[in-house]
Amino acid sequence: MKKIISTPNAPAPIGPYNQAVLSGNTLYTSGQIAIDPKTGHLFEGPIKEETTLVMQNLKAVLAAADMTFEDVVKTTIFVNKMNDFAAINEVYGAYFNNETAPARETVEVANLPKYVNVEISVIAIK
């Protein structure tokens, strides 16, 4: 059985999907990009600030499912420029404990939704 997870503290979906789906004790989030949930506007600025907003949006979705980054077991990071990875990784790393950090993959892609620089999704288990 699946439960749809939704919160006004993260951007509303811009297509036929949900912010996250909880199946049993496993949460699957949709990829988050740097849209400010309060204004609905796309953030355009330095990559570290863009990544911070992405991570804050993920934090809000996790919280809506009564989870935290400690519950995350897998992340996927999509970047449009691998040259930005060090800055993205610095921000991303601040949300996890190195000893219990999740498995991760990072993929460079040609384009992302709304032509953002970074999109991140997570799988969490409680």
Side-chain angles (χ1 to χ4, degrees):
M1 188 154 120
K2 69 181 183 180
K3 177 181 176 186
I4 303 303
I5 302 298
S6 180
T7 177
N9 298 320
I14 55 175
Y17 63 91
N18 289 291
Q19 292 169 330
V21 174
L22 184 65
S23 179
N25 62 345
T26 305
L27 181 73
Y28 302 88
T29 72
S30 293
Q32 289 294 314
I33 61 175
I35 294 177
D36 183 327
K38 293 179 180 119
T39 65
H41 293 115
L42 183 65
F43 174 82
E44 295 182 41
I47 190 65
K48 285 185 178 181
E49 292 176 31
E50 182 176 353
T51 306
T52 298
L53 183 51
V54 169
M55 295 302 289
Q56 287 300 117
N57 288 341
L58 285 167
K59 183 178 180 178
V61 174
L62 287 165
D66 195 30
M67 293 186 180
T68 70
F69 284 109
E70 281 297 312
D71 299 307
V72 174
V73 297
K74 176 77 166 48
T75 63
T76 302
I77 302 175
F78 295 101
V79 299
N80 72 344
K81 291 182 288 237
M82 196 57 78
N83 290 341
D84 285 340
F85 183 69
I88 292 166
N89 195 50
E90 182 180 332
V91 173
Y92 167 93
Y95 288 82
F96 296 101
N97 178 327
N98 284 346
E99 290 76 35
T100 60
R104 175 182 79 189
E105 62 206 355
T106 303
V107 181
E108 183 179 44
V109 296
N111 289 304
L112 289 164
K114 296 190 175 279
Y115 301 100
V116 298
N117 298 302
V118 60
E119 179 177 7
I120 303 173
S121 65
V122 304
I123 298 171
I125 298 175
K126 187 98 175 175

